[in-house]
Amino acid sequence: MRLIQRNRNSSDLAELPPFPWLYAYQEDGPRLGTIVHRPVVPVALVGADVSSTVYALVDSGCSHVLAAPWLADAAGIDPKASGRELLLGIGGTSVKVEFADACLRLMAPADAGDDVFVEWQAEVGFLKQWRPTWPMLVGQVGFFDQFTVTMSRFALHTAVEPVEVFDARFGVPPAPTVPDIQESSRRRRR
């Protein structure tokens, strides 16, 4: 992960805002006569170009980062080029999702300005027919594995912090990665 500030001229050398970065929930609905509040973060996709910044739904139940096809076009990403596709269960049906490597750009909270963001590589899935309310979903792989994320329905805010914060706060070491598990399994069989 890289911390980046785009404008580096002498009049714009402000430091990155300290973490946690706090994002207010956004209204969605009404649903059955009630406004629903959703945890969202401002994100852009970076490929050959940079997409506009959109609100991405923070979805702890989603395994992937998923995005609308127009975001791939805006960022200059061709999901077909990778040849990686998967049938995913979404909304009670199976849909074909094409995956491509891209950079995700999490914009700092609004009070920090438009020039401050964190950027990292991730695999992003694109659906031909996008139906969700939000143009992007950020999930377990590609977002939750990059940050410690705390969502509070009580406060109607999402806090995003460096990934190491969880271990420091709770004394829980990071879980082994899949290759680490496979390696330890191989050692046990010998």
Side-chain angles (χ1 to χ4, degrees), residues 86-190:
L86 181 63
L87 279 178
L88 286 180
I90 298 175
T93 188
S94 293
V95 295
K96 184 172 91 169
V97 180
E98 295 174 317
F99 287 89
D101 295 323
C103 277
L104 285 174
R105 183 178 285 179
L106 175 66
M107 306 308 291
D111 57 352
D114 294 336
D115 297 343
V116 183
F117 53 85
V118 178
E119 190 174 273
W120 67 99
Q121 281 288 128
E123 183 178 62
V124 179
F126 297 94
L127 290 75
K128 287 185 185 193
Q129 294 193 350
W130 187 258
R131 293 194 177 137
T133 305
W134 307 97
M136 186 184 300
L137 303 176
V138 289
Q140 293 290 326
V141 177
F143 188 70
F144 281 86
D145 61 352
Q146 299 295 313
F147 301 100
T148 291
V149 180
T150 306
M151 296 179 285
S152 172
R153 175 71 170 100
F154 180 73
L156 295 179
H157 275 76
T158 300
V160 176
E161 301 176 88
V163 73
E164 335 43 73
V165 167
F166 188 88
D167 348 330
R169 188 178 301 149
F170 298 107
V172 177
T177 61
V178 173
D180 293 343
I181 293 169
Q182 290 170 342
E183 181 61 32
S184 65
S185 178
R186 248 186 259 121
R187 276 186 257 145
R188 274 188 259 133
R189 282 184 267 169
R190 290 183 191 162

Side-chain angles (χ1 to χ4, degrees), residues 2 15 17 49 53 58 65 71 74 88 90 143 149 155 170 173 181:
R2 302 181 289 163
E15 290 188 29
D49 294 310
T53 299
V58 180
V65 173
L71 284 172
L88 286 180
I90 298 175
F143 188 70
V149 180
F170 298 107
I181 293 169

